[in-house]
Amino acid sequence: MTISPNHVVIVGYGPVAARLADELLPSVRRGELSLTIIGEESSAAYNRVLVADLGVGRTTAEAISVSDPAELAAAGVAVHLDACVRRVDRARQGVLLADGTWINYGKLVFATGARPVVPTLHGLNPDPAARVPLPRGVIALRNLADAAVLHDAVERRQRVVVLGGGILGLEAALAARDEGADVTVVHHGAHTLGRSIDAGAGHTVAAALRARGITVVSQARAVGVNMTDGTDGNPTFSGLLQENGSVVAGDLLVLSCGVRPRVEVAEGAGLATDRGILVNHSMAAHHDPNVFAMGDCAEIRCLDADCAECAANTGPLGLIGPGWRQAEWLAAFLMDSAAASTPLPAERAPVMMLKARGVDVAVAGDVAAGPFDDVPGLSVSLWADPEHGKYVKMSTRGGVLCGFISVGMPRTGAELTLLFERGAELPADRSALLRLDGPDREMATVADPARTVCRCAGVAEETITAAVVGGCSSVQEISAATRAGTGCGGCHSDLKNLIEAHFAPA
């Protein structure tokens, strides 16, 4: 048995694994490293964040692809598609696939991502380890097959029931409704986006959803799914059964109940896990310097009990941007540990955005307290116009923005995002920010070439502008040149605006 210390094996073939492979490719071509990628799906890596857009016909499978197996193979990378890892033997430094293939590694990287949470409902399998397929008419909108099912439902103008009031569920609901489907959102909490925003903002968002023709069922407790025989005689979803006995009728159920890091193979290999695979600040697994983890399956928690950074971690962030930054740092470390002497930067509190046509939501930081709550050192400003779907809350400490919510105020939300990411002070007159979405917005808005337009890839406006000046005239061309727009897709409108501004007649 020969083990090459320079052989890197990646378990998982999602967008984070693809970014690591891209970063390692120059070393592979120079013969300094050998690389093997093991992917469970039959297709190459694609951007899961945009699966809903694919399902409603707003993009294509080619457009959301983030890796080319043929290019990797031509460079000497071994790519195993439709392959399942049976176990990892850390003592022998090898990976055993379900078909009996044995692959030795020098360094092993887990990039297994996360799987959707399947709620415990009568008629669904509650045991994720069993991997029993969901019944017909029920999807989790996590892969290309799910996108195809949603696309068929939208094309046929069917009734779509979304279970879950989080960001991904609402984005899918709004996209499906925009393309002609009859949509109902069912969620357990008192208001939508209950884990991210306060009640006032949540009710404002729900009102905006209803104004778009979406039925919203709040404080619902689903207990089962009803199945009826389809036209071919096979059972298919027909309704979501509630605890009170009522049924939300539908033709397709979209589960949007969160995700759970995939750690089963790592646990089987004896690695330490909690919410995710436990790693240190070099992304190395506890007590094994030859094994690493990154992305949705990795939880940074070093062995220093006094580490303030680790104490603040609550598990994997579940966002594509941090995963990409981990992949880029880890690639530098694997190619030359001395070159990665700069520690992996800690991630700032993320800005979460609801990306939908006509419904703009941005939220970040501490937003729990209200303007009249007695919280030492905290000042809260709030403005609401629920009739017109607008709501803004700003929390500050010493004048510095530490949390905000913006609903229906896209320019205000963009400015608050910029101020939050910079740790900047708010103006003494908070109402000046509200005027950004008013009739005098052209006077209030100040261009900032250094602002980050694409937060997932960390691309500034000046970089995008330079690409446009250099000849890029479409979002796809900018993405190819700068990687901007390849993440969640929330910056696509900004990219289009920059293109239009450059090519507009003088």
Side-chain angles (χ1 to χ4, degrees):
M1 178 180 64
T2 301
I3 299 175
S4 169
N6 296 324
H7 183 203
V8 178
V9 175
I10 305 174
V11 178
Y13 193 15
V16 174
R19 177 61 57 87
L20 178 61
D22 284 346
E23 296 293 322
L24 293 176
L25 209 52
S27 287
V28 174
R29 289 191 173 112
R30 291 192 298 266
E32 299 166 353
L33 290 176
S34 57
L35 179 61
T36 297
I37 302 174
I38 304 170
E40 189 175 48
E41 296 185 56
S42 58
S43 57
Y46 54 89
N47 191 342
R48 294 188 191 280
V49 182
L50 300 179
V51 165
D53 283 353
L54 176 63
V56 299
R58 292 181 180 174
T59 188
T60 64
E62 292 76 19
I64 68 172
S65 173
V66 294
S67 186
D68 183 355
E71 178 186 0
L72 294 174
V77 178
V79 180
H80 297 261
L81 296 177
D82 203 17
C84 180
V85 174
R86 179 177 296 171
R87 64 184 176 90
V88 169
D89 188 329
R90 291 163 54 210
R92 298 169 62 197
Q93 289 187 227
V95 177
L96 179 65
L97 304 186
D99 64 1
T101 301
W102 175 265
I103 303 171
N104 286 115
Y105 67 82
K107 304 294 182 184
L108 178 68
V109 181
F110 282 95
T112 45
R115 62 161 45 92
V117 172
V118 177
T120 304
L121 303 176
H122 181 70
L124 295 182
N125 174 49
D127 180 7
R131 297 193 183 185
V132 174
L134 294 172
R136 190 165 68 170
V138 181
I139 61 173
L141 204 52
R142 189 72 179 169
N143 55 38
L144 299 181
D146 291 341
V149 174
L150 177 60
H151 188 268
D152 180 66
V154 171
E155 287 268 293
R156 296 164 60 186
R157 301 294 191 268
Q158 290 186 323
R159 298 166 298 173
V160 177
V161 179
V162 177
L163 180 58
I167 285 180
L168 295 181
L170 297 190
E171 286 179 349
L174 284 160
R177 178 58 186 160
D178 282 349
E179 303 305 324
D182 182 312
V183 180
T184 300
V185 172
V186 180
H187 65 96
H188 177 63
H191 60 84
T192 53
L193 299 176
R195 295 183 179 179
S196 306
I197 60 180
D198 62 11
H203 293 307
T204 303
V205 171
L209 296 174
R210 293 187 178 101
R212 296 285 290 274
I214 295 175
T215 301
V216 180
V217 182
S218 301
Q219 294 183 317
R221 187 179 294 276
V223 296
V225 294
N226 287 348
M227 308 292 291
T228 58
D229 289 340
T231 55
D232 59 358
N234 293 317
T236 187
F237 170 79
S238 62
L240 184 64
L241 179 63
Q242 305 299 303
E243 189 177 48
N244 61 9
S246 65
V247 176
V248 179
D251 304 296
L252 175 66
L253 175 62
V254 178
L255 301 176
S256 186
C257 305
V259 296
R260 182 176 292 115
R262 300 187 61 178
V263 300
E264 307 86 46
V265 175
E267 285 180 335
L271 294 173
T273 64
D274 189 7
R275 296 179 181 87
I277 303 168
L278 298 182
V279 298
N280 62 23
H281 297 285
S282 296
M283 310 309 296
H286 288 190
H287 312 298
D288 194 330
N290 295 317
V291 178
F292 303 81
M294 61 181 187
D296 287 354
C297 69
E299 180 178 356
I300 299 177
R301 190 196 303 170
C302 69
L303 296 173
D304 181 0
D306 297 323
C307 178
E309 182 181 330
C310 290
N313 288 342
T314 58
L317 286 176
L319 301 171
I320 195 169
W324 278 347
R325 288 184 280 277
Q326 290 174 1
E328 290 162 2
W329 188 93
L330 182 56
F333 182 87
L334 293 173
M335 290 186 292
D336 181 3
S337 58
S341 57
T342 302
L344 175 69
E347 290 289 336
R348 290 181 54 84
V351 178
M352 293 180 290
M353 296 183 177
L354 175 62
K355 305 174 295 298
R357 297 172 182 171
V359 180
D360 300 282
V361 180
V363 56
D366 182 6
V367 296
F372 303 108
D373 293 338
D374 185 14
V375 180
L378 187 71
S379 298
V380 180
S381 301
L382 189 149
W383 178 82
D385 181 9
E387 181 182 358
H388 298 96
K390 301 179 185 295
Y391 184 98
V392 176
K393 176 190 275 190
M394 297 167 274
S395 301
T396 60
R397 289 187 180 275
V400 175
L401 185 66
C402 61
F404 74 91
I405 305 172
S406 173
V407 179
M409 302 282 281
R411 293 179 178 84
T412 300
E415 183 68 15
L416 288 171
T417 297
L418 180 63
L419 294 172
F420 179 82
E421 291 179 337
R422 292 184 173 180
E425 290 189 22
L426 291 187
D429 180 7
R430 306 289 198 259
S431 65
L433 292 166
L434 303 177
R435 290 197 291 272
L436 292 174
D437 284 283
D440 59 342
R441 61 182 179 272
E442 297 300 331
M443 296 174 58
T445 303
V446 179
D448 182 6
R451 75 181 178 100
T452 301
V453 175
C454 178
R455 291 171 184 81
C456 295
V459 185
E461 179 177 322
E462 55 193 351
T463 302
I464 297 166
T465 301
V468 174
V469 172
C472 294
S473 59
S474 67
V475 172
Q476 291 76 14
E477 290 176 354
I478 289 177
S479 296
T482 69
R483 285 180 171 167
T486 58
C488 69
C491 64
H492 283 184
S493 60
D494 285 335
L495 300 182
K496 292 176 183 177
N497 291 338
L498 291 171
I499 293 170
E500 291 170 1
H502 176 74
F503 289 102

